[in-house]
Amino acid sequence: MSLAVKIMDEIKTAMRAKDTVALEALRAIKSELLLAQTASGSKEEISADEEIKLLQRLVKTRKESARIYTEQNRADLAEPELAQVAVIEKFLPAQLSEAEIEEIIAKIIADSGASGIASMGKVMGLASAQLGGTAEGKTISTIVKKLLV
């Protein structure tokens, strides 16, 4: 079942349950999917990798908004953002723990023979390709820096 079909089913469920937070998050996903599909100019659906990147981008923007609201002591605005993050994350693959990510990156560094911070770009490219949607780019970057220094 494609992501678009899953989203439509969840929208119907959220409407029946009158869950406004979930409905808002699901409509945002649907909107982004349609924008991505029409941006390519084709009638084909976008790939699974592009769907994961799109969902990760939505999660990232909402987490950033929640962080800003929290800094400004606006918990009333931060809570709905974090609730939407939880809804969107249901459609992402399971995220790896930092220990698992560190283990994978250490193996990548050993296999590629990278040493020093100058090799960070090379390692980041390999790690991002291998970890796909199972880890945030910021987490990957932090761990790569830690292991290369």
Side-chain angles (χ1 to χ4, degrees), residues 42-80:
S42 66
K43 301 247 186 224
E44 300 172 11
E45 290 190 18
I46 60 174
S47 71
D49 288 341
E50 290 172 344
E51 288 174 347
I52 290 171
K53 287 178 184 174
L54 181 137
L55 291 172
Q56 286 177 326
R57 188 172 57 245
L58 288 172
V59 167
K60 182 179 177 182
T61 57
R62 278 164 180 71
K63 282 183 178 179
E64 181 65 19
S65 296
R67 185 188 63 77
I68 291 169
Y69 291 143
T70 303
E71 286 175 0
Q72 297 174 351
N73 296 321
R74 294 296 309 264
D76 59 316
L77 297 174
E79 288 174 19

Side-chain angles (χ1 to χ4, degrees), residues 89-141:
E89 284 180 337
K90 289 193 308 188
F91 300 100
L92 283 171
Q95 300 293 299
L96 297 173
S97 69
E98 285 196 29
E100 293 170 318
I101 296 169
E102 192 168 330
E103 185 179 311
I104 292 169
I105 292 175
K107 186 177 184 322
I108 291 171
I109 291 172
D111 291 347
S112 67
S115 62
I117 202 72
S119 304
M120 184 168 173
K122 177 182 173 184
V123 175
M124 279 296 296
L126 294 169
S128 295
Q130 186 171 343
L131 294 170
T134 58
E136 286 185 351
K138 185 177 180 180
T139 306
I140 295 171
S141 173

